[in-house]
C-alpha cells in the first residue's frame, strides 16, 4: 500500500511540475515603457543608434546593411510578467544596437517581434513569451545607415 501511495504522489508531483513549467503565454507590452524603465535602461541603450519599430517613419536610408535577429531570455522568478518581459526586451534591443555598431550602421529599422517564429509587426508594442521560470523576447530588424542631417 505504501508503494502505491508513494507512486501516486510521485506521478502527481511530476504532472504538477510539467503543467507549471509548460506555461508560455504570449503577451504584448508597450515599447516606450520598456525603453523608459529607469536610469539603468536609459544608460544601457545607445542613443547614437536609433531604433524604429514596425512601420515607423524613418529618415532616408543611405545604405541597407542586413537583417539580424536577437533572442534574449531572463529569469522570471519573483517578477511580474511585464517586469521580466521588459528586461528581456531591453537586452534584445541592446543586442541589435551592438550588431548595428559592429556592422557600421547608425540605426535599426523595421524592428518586429519574432518570438518562436510568430511575427508581430507593431509600431508601439512588442511580443513576449512569459513562462513560469523564463520570459523571452526575440526582435528582428534591419541594420542601416541613415543619411546624416536628414529630418524624420
Amino acid at each position: 500500500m505504501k508503494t502505491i501511495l508513494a507512486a501516486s504522489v510521485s506521478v502527481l508531483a511530476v504532472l504538477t511540475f510539467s503543467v507549471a513549467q509548460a506555461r508560455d503565454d504570449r503577451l504584448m507590452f508597450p515599447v516606450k515603457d520598456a525603453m523608459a524603465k529607469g536610469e539603468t535602461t536609459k544608460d544601457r541603450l545607445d542613443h547614437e543608434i536609433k531604433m524604429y519599430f514596425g512601420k515607423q517613419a524613418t529618415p532616408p536610408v543611405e545604405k541597407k546593411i542586413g537583417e539580424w535577429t536577437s533572442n534574449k531570455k531572463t529569469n522570471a522568478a519573483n517578477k511580474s510578467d511585464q517586469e521580466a518581459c521588459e528586461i528581456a526586451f531591453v537586452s534584445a534591443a541592446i543586442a541589435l544596437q551592438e550588431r548595428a555598431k559592429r556592422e557600421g550602421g547608425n540605426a535599426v529599422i523595421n524592428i518586429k517581434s519574432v518570438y518562436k517564429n510568430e511575427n508581430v509587426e507593431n509600431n508601439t508594442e512588442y511580443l513576449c513569451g512569459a513562462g513560469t521560470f523564463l520570459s523571452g523576447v526575440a526582435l528582428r530588424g534591419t541594420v542601416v545607415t541613415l543619411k546624416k542631417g536628414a529630418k524624420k
Side-chain angles (χ1 to χ4, degrees):
M1 185 69 162
K2 283 184 179 181
T3 306
I4 293 172
L5 181 60
S8 297
V9 169
S10 295
V11 168
L12 183 59
V14 168
L15 289 175
T16 301
F17 182 74
S18 295
V19 169
Q21 194 174 23
R23 179 175 170 250
D24 188 18
D25 296 339
R26 300 302 177 7
L27 306 171
M28 297 291 291
F29 291 109
V31 168
K32 69 177 180 150
D33 288 357
M35 300 276 276
K37 202 66 169 179
E39 289 305 312
T40 55
T41 298
K42 290 177 187 174
D43 292 344
R44 292 177 62 208
L45 291 168
D46 185 340
H47 299 288
E48 297 297 313
I49 306 293
K50 301 299 180 198
M51 301 185 79
Y52 298 91
F53 293 84
K55 299 275 187 202
Q56 283 180 319
T58 68
V61 173
E62 187 173 285
K63 179 181 176 187
K64 180 180 174 183
I65 298 171
E67 185 176 75
W68 282 274
T69 302
S70 173
N71 185 353
K72 297 296 179 179
K73 306 250 186 284
T74 192
N75 178 347
N78 298 320
K79 295 178 185 82
S80 70
D81 285 342
Q82 186 164 1
E83 181 183 7
C85 288
E86 286 172 348
I87 292 167
F89 171 84
V90 169
S91 294
I94 289 169
L96 283 179
Q97 287 182 322
E98 289 171 351
R99 172 58 83 161
K101 266 189 186 172
R102 275 196 311 273
E103 300 297 330
N106 63 7
V108 184
I109 65 171
N110 303 326
I111 300 170
K112 60 186 166 232
S113 298
V114 291
Y115 186 77
K116 291 192 177 179
N117 295 319
E118 186 177 330
N119 290 304
V120 175
E121 192 169 343
N122 192 303
N123 292 7
T124 60
E125 294 184 316
Y126 65 94
L127 174 66
C128 177
T132 304
F133 301 108
L134 286 176
S135 291
V137 172
L139 300 175
R140 180 174 295 146
T142 304
V143 173
V144 299
T145 302
L146 299 175
K147 290 186 180 178
K148 295 194 185 334
K151 298 290 181 208
K152 183 176 154 187

